[in-house]
């Protein structure tokens, strides 16, 4: 466990932009939000995934929707955190930590927004190693892990759950339809992962990798 320094925010944004390989949306808005949170005194810890206990509960977060819309209908840290709070209320359990579904693009910084609001660490891992467009393309899907429940909310206060689906592809299709209806941008908390699942199926140390890429640039 180590603190992510304020000087590492910009390199993380640059590295996430590069790892997005053209996808995942711009990290710029989340970068500005993080700078504001640090200016307000928030600090965020980065957790080694191997330090998770097998029964720890990890929130997997992302913004879903069209990247261009995300530059017009601006999301905020409170909305990002609300999707995770919804999942905690649904499960009746608290999360030990939070991680991104993808390190590429804006979602590479999304868990930091949640971590600052909820005072939990960010796991140094994701489920893609870059940015991909759909849920069935993650390492968790390859591992055939449970794909539900999913919580989704938008900046206007609309809140939805997908409580059961038959496949990862159906999770993508149904949650995407909800996202379109609320304006094509929303914050989500994906199916909760155990510490054991993150250690077995996560793509490890990608937050650190993004920071190092940004520092090199």
């Amino acid at each position: 466990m180590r603190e992510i320094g304020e000087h590492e925010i910009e390199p993380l944004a640059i590295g996430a932009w590069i790892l997005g390989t053209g996808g995942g949306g711009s990290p710029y808005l989340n970068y500005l939000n993080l700078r504001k949170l640090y200016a307000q005194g928030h600090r965020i810890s980065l957790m080694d995934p191997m330090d998770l206990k097998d029964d720890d509960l990890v929130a997997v977060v992302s913004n879903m929707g069209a990247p261009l819309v995300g530059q017009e209908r601006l999301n905020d840290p409170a909305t990002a955190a609300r999707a995770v709070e919804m999942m905690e209320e649904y499960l009746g359990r608290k999360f030990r930590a939070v991680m991104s579904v993808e390190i590429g693009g804006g979602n590479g910084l999304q868990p930091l927004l949640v971590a600052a609001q909820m005072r939990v660490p960010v796991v140094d891992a994701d489920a893609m190693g870059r940015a991909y467009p759909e849920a069935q393309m993650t390492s968790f899907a390859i591992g055939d892990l449970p794909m539900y429940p999913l919580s989704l909310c938008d900046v206007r206060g609309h809140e939805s759950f997908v409580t059961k689906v038959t496949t990862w592809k159906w999770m993508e299709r149904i949650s995407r339809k909800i996202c379109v209806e609320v304006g094509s941008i929303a914050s989500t908390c994906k199916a909760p992962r155990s510490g054991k699942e993150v250690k077995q199926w996560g793509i490890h140390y990608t937050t650190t990798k993004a920071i190092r890429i940004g520092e090199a640039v």
Side-chain angles (χ1 to χ4, degrees):
M1 191 89 73
R2 72 169 185 85
E3 184 177 292
I4 297 175
E6 188 171 2
H7 67 283
E8 294 179 301
I9 296 174
E10 185 174 11
L12 174 58
I14 293 170
W17 188 229
I18 291 170
L19 290 172
T21 62
S26 171
Y28 187 63
L29 175 61
N30 282 350
Y31 161 68
L32 294 179
N33 278 321
L34 278 171
R35 283 182 55 183
K36 182 178 180 180
L37 288 167
Y38 267 70
Q40 293 171 345
H42 292 275
R43 290 298 180 266
I44 301 161
S45 295
L46 189 65
M47 183 179 190
D48 190 311
M50 297 306 159
D51 288 340
L52 287 165
K53 296 179 181 178
D54 286 353
D55 59 352
D56 280 341
L57 201 62
V58 180
V60 183
V61 301
S62 76
N63 266 348
M64 175 184 284
L68 183 59
V69 176
Q71 295 178 40
E72 299 169 345
R73 297 184 65 230
L74 303 183
N75 209 348
D76 59 69
T79 305
R82 179 56 193 156
V84 178
E85 292 168 353
M86 289 167 60
M87 187 64 73
E88 287 185 333
E89 292 165 7
Y90 178 84
L91 298 172
R93 285 187 62 187
K94 292 289 186 180
F95 285 106
R96 171 68 181 91
V98 61
M99 64 180 285
S100 178
V101 73
E102 58 182 357
I103 189 60
N107 280 332
L109 282 70
Q110 185 83 351
L112 280 73
L113 303 182
V114 177
Q117 297 284 301
M118 303 188 69
R119 301 182 185 277
V120 294
V122 173
V123 179
D124 193 358
D126 75 309
M128 293 187 181
R130 48 164 293 179
Y132 285 105
E134 297 189 348
Q136 73 277 9
M137 300 172 181
T138 65
S139 58
F140 296 145
I142 293 170
D144 198 27
L145 303 181
M147 70 293 294
Y148 56 83
L150 174 143
S151 61
L152 179 150
C153 63
D154 76 344
V155 293
R156 291 176 294 189
H158 299 119
E159 299 182 353
S160 301
F161 275 96
V162 180
T163 57
K164 188 174 183 180
V165 290
T166 54
T167 66
W168 279 93
K169 181 64 176 178
W170 272 110
M171 174 57 81
E172 172 66 28
R173 292 178 66 178
I174 293 171
S175 58
R176 186 73 58 174
K177 290 290 186 182
I178 299 171
C179 179
V180 169
E181 289 302 314
V182 298
S184 294
I185 194 73
S187 292
T188 70
C189 181
K190 311 297 189 186
R193 301 270 71 98
S194 69
K196 182 178 182 180
E197 289 171 335
V198 173
K199 287 184 283 187
Q200 288 182 334
W201 290 101
I203 311 299
H204 301 145
Y205 308 115
T206 49
T207 302
T208 296
K209 181 179 181 178
I211 291 171
R212 289 176 177 170
I213 289 172
E215 288 174 342
V217 170

